[in-house]
Amino acid sequence: MSADEGRLGEMRRAFDSAFAAEPVAPPERVDLIALRTAGRPYAVRASDVASVVATGTVVPFPCDEPALLGLGAVRGAPVPVYDLAALLGDGAAKAPRWTILSHGPERLGLAFDELEGYLRVPAADLAAAPDPAAGQAATEIVRAGSSLRPVVSVASLVRRVKQRCGIPTKER
């Protein structure tokens, strides 16, 4: 057997073994929407959001809930719009230009200042928030580049708003 034949046989075995080996699964990824409200960075899971829209006209609505900005219209339907910063305990949003719409039959809007972009991060980059039981809506923290962002649970905020307004909630 010549050196070329030996090398050819070695290449065939390497090629065949590459197809015989178990494929390596790519790491699980999580899709997030990066935003900023009241000067603080946050993220929300894209799967928790029905859509993100520009905040249009919001008509003030008399209510005892200080976070309620009023009623907005999204695709012709009235939607209560809440100040996300106020719900998170950060004061009021400076100039809410964007609104996240929650999933579900009882939609509500969460208005915030800046839409910073879309993040797709490895699931391993998410960690449990240090103390989510302390009334915080951020149940996770994500490392995005060189910074950390609290990941806000939209479902948790919806439940909180319903409880504040005395609306019965259904557990999922």
Side-chain angles (χ1 to χ4, degrees), residues 24-86:
V24 176
E28 182 183 349
R29 301 278 182 181
V30 177
D31 297 326
L32 302 169
I33 297 168
L35 60 93
R36 188 171 292 271
T37 191
R40 297 193 57 201
Y42 290 97
V44 295
R45 286 179 176 259
S47 60
D48 290 349
V49 173
S51 63
V52 178
V53 297
T55 302
T57 302
V58 177
V59 178
F61 189 80
C63 179
D64 291 336
E65 173 54 54
L68 180 66
L69 296 174
L71 291 175
V74 178
R75 295 181 191 98
V79 175
V81 178
Y82 292 84
D83 184 335
L84 178 59

Side-chain angles (χ1 to χ4, degrees), residues 1-17:
M1 177 187 316
S2 73
D4 287 340
E5 289 175 335
R7 188 164 169 242
L8 182 60
E10 186 179 312
M11 290 172 62
R12 281 187 185 136
R13 282 188 295 282
F15 180 82
D16 290 344
S17 67

Side-chain angles (χ1 to χ4, degrees), residues 113-126:
D113 299 321
E114 297 175 49
L115 179 61
E116 293 189 322
Y118 176 82
L119 304 172
R120 176 170 275 174
V121 299
D125 286 358
L126 289 166

Side-chain angles (χ1 to χ4, degrees), residues 65-67 82 86-88 159-167:
E65 173 54 54
Y82 292 84
L87 290 174
L88 295 173
R159 280 192 303 275
R160 183 184 300 174
V161 166
K162 286 182 172 185
Q163 287 171 348
R164 283 178 163 180
C165 297
I167 301 168

